[in-house]
Amino acid sequence: ALLNLCIFYLQTGDHAAALPAGREAQQVAAAAAIRSTHAWTCSTLGELLMADAAGWEEAGAQLAAALRLFQEAGQREGVCIVQHHLGDLARRRGQSDEAAALFAASYAAASAGDDRRMMARCRIGEGQLALARGDGETARRCLAAAQALLAALPAFLSAAALA
């Protein structure tokens, strides 16, 4: 429940409320040895912390822990999401080559699972990276590809997708 509260705050832009909820969720998951929840809390905290340059170091540590936990558990979806977050963090840090490699790895994993939303997120990340590199044409291509992927998806998830 605490992780869901953290995600709610994160999605509504209330980072001040999200951070303590995420930290508490992480403590509970770690103490209870709930590895999957612990991995997701690390991922969510990493995503939250990367919003501000002052949190980049801790974001990297949280995301590295999440990646390790997801890999150990064989959770492909979690690995894919964390690779994307790490790519975004590398882009923010100006580490273009690392960001490109992480976005490519995340896109490959998303493609293998036919996760079109995640594929679109990767293309958006690649577009942002291209903009940071000053390559407007590549950015347009990546963002157009993301738009096409998102436009082909239903506006809301079906009941079958939620099951």
Side-chain angles (χ1 to χ4, degrees):
L2 288 169
L3 179 57
N4 289 335
L5 181 61
C6 174
I7 292 168
F8 170 78
Y9 286 139
L10 180 63
Q11 291 176 341
T12 60
D14 190 348
H15 291 196
L19 191 57
R23 290 196 190 285
E24 188 174 353
Q26 185 178 46
Q27 290 172 352
V28 169
I34 306 169
R35 294 176 64 80
S36 178
T37 303
H38 188 203
W40 285 111
T41 58
C42 290
S43 175
T44 303
L45 282 171
E47 180 183 12
L48 178 61
L49 289 162
M50 82 168 94
D52 181 4
W56 287 354
E57 185 175 335
E58 185 182 354
Q62 293 285 351
L63 292 170
L67 183 62
R68 179 183 49 78
L69 289 166
F70 284 133
Q71 287 172 331
E72 288 172 358
Q75 290 184 303
R76 186 175 43 120
E77 177 188 13
V79 170
C80 178
I81 290 169
V82 172
Q83 286 173 326
H84 177 273
H85 290 335
L86 285 166
D88 193 26
L89 181 60
R91 177 190 58 81
R92 290 169 190 245
R93 289 177 163 168
Q95 299 165 328
S96 296
D97 293 341
E98 182 177 346
L102 286 160
F103 285 135
S106 181
Y107 184 86
S111 295
D114 198 31
D115 183 346
R116 294 181 186 174
R117 278 184 172 66
M118 196 66 218
M119 291 164 60
R121 288 180 66 184
C122 293
R123 290 297 183 230
I124 291 167
E126 291 168 342
Q128 291 173 323
L129 180 58
L131 283 175
R133 290 176 165 172
D135 185 351
E137 183 55 37
T138 298
R140 276 188 285 284
R141 281 195 313 273
C142 290
L143 296 173
Q147 183 178 16
L149 285 162
L150 292 171
L153 293 172
F156 297 97
L157 294 176
S158 67
L162 294 173

